[in-house]
Amino acid sequence: MKHVGPIALCCLAAAAVAASAAGRDSASPTASRCGGQLWRLKTLSDPQRSMVQLAAKGTTIEALGQRPFPRPVPRRRRTPFQRQAWKVVAQITRYRIDSGGVRLELFDHGSYANAVIPALDCLSQTTRARAQLAAVWKQFTNDCGHPRPDWQPLGATVYVDGVGFWSQRRGLRGAARNGAELHPVTGFLIVAGC
């Protein structure tokens, strides 16, 4: 009977460790929770993440929308657009949270494009520039507001750095006509607003 106490304590400790490990596993990023089958591309967690040049090249929202749309939609980083971070200055006309993070609708000189700040719980241990992506999330949510699932207007002028991504969101309000996006957002500088 004297050994029942220590044995029970060992069993409780083992159960606590198992529950903790199970909780971590269930919180791991998944396609269903983090924006679909391409979530690894969207979070710089894909096997080709080291091919991306993170030093952003300046461009415009209009130039993003004029790039030829690749067919089929790339599931790997096969185009130069996807292997480069880009910098644009734009107005965030509205934003919302979706399954992969905060979706920003960017506007400049009559052209639109989307950019996405990945959700923190969608970043994996293999995410490249993980601290940088987390800092962008923190800055946006601290300075610009807490996103909800419905679109919220903003009107802030910002510099946005992000990796080229081809989306099938073509023809939707606020999306580039060719599906070009900046996803993930790797840098964020507020000029006015927020």
Side-chain angles (χ1 to χ4, degrees):
M1 283 301 213
K2 292 181 182 180
H3 298 289
V4 173
I7 292 172
L9 285 175
C10 286
C11 290
L12 284 173
V17 169
S20 174
R24 267 197 315 271
D25 289 342
S26 65
S28 296
T30 63
S32 62
R33 220 171 31 82
C34 294
Q37 294 302 314
L38 300 179
W39 74 270
R40 291 188 188 278
L41 277 177
K42 297 174 181 182
T43 60
L44 279 177
S45 302
D46 61 298
Q48 297 174 315
R49 62 192 174 275
S50 63
M51 298 173 76
V52 176
Q53 297 296 319
L54 289 179
K57 284 186 179 178
T59 190
T60 64
I61 300 293
E62 181 181 22
L64 291 177
Q66 291 176 347
R67 293 178 164 274
F69 181 72
R71 296 199 186 275
V73 177
R75 295 189 164 281
R76 301 181 64 192
R77 294 190 192 279
R78 67 175 172 87
T79 68
F81 175 64
Q82 295 172 287
R83 295 178 180 172
Q84 179 65 54
W86 304 92
K87 180 185 291 287
V88 297
V89 62
Q91 178 187 34
I92 301 174
T93 57
R94 57 189 191 145
Y95 68 100
R96 71 179 180 95
I97 191 120
D98 66 18
S99 63
V102 180
R103 182 166 292 277
L104 310 175
E105 183 181 272
L106 305 178
F107 174 80
D108 185 49
H109 288 92
S111 298
Y112 287 92
N114 281 191
V116 180
I117 304 168
L120 294 179
D121 60 355
C122 290
L123 304 180
S124 72
Q125 294 303 316
T126 62
T127 295
R128 184 173 174 204
R130 192 173 200 275
Q132 195 174 333
L133 300 180
V136 170
W137 175 274
K138 184 176 180 181
Q139 182 184 9
F140 184 87
T141 56
N142 285 344
D143 296 343
C144 297
H146 296 285
R148 299 185 309 255
D150 53 315
W151 287 106
Q152 299 166 257
L154 186 56
T157 302
V158 296
Y159 283 97
V160 175
D161 296 1
V163 178
F165 178 79
W166 293 110
S167 173
Q168 299 214 27
R169 293 176 176 265
R170 299 176 350 199
L172 297 177
R173 178 185 169 201
R177 62 179 168 243
N178 62 353
E181 292 186 355
L182 299 179
H183 199 157
V185 172
T186 56
F188 188 75
L189 177 65
I190 300 165
V191 176
C194 290

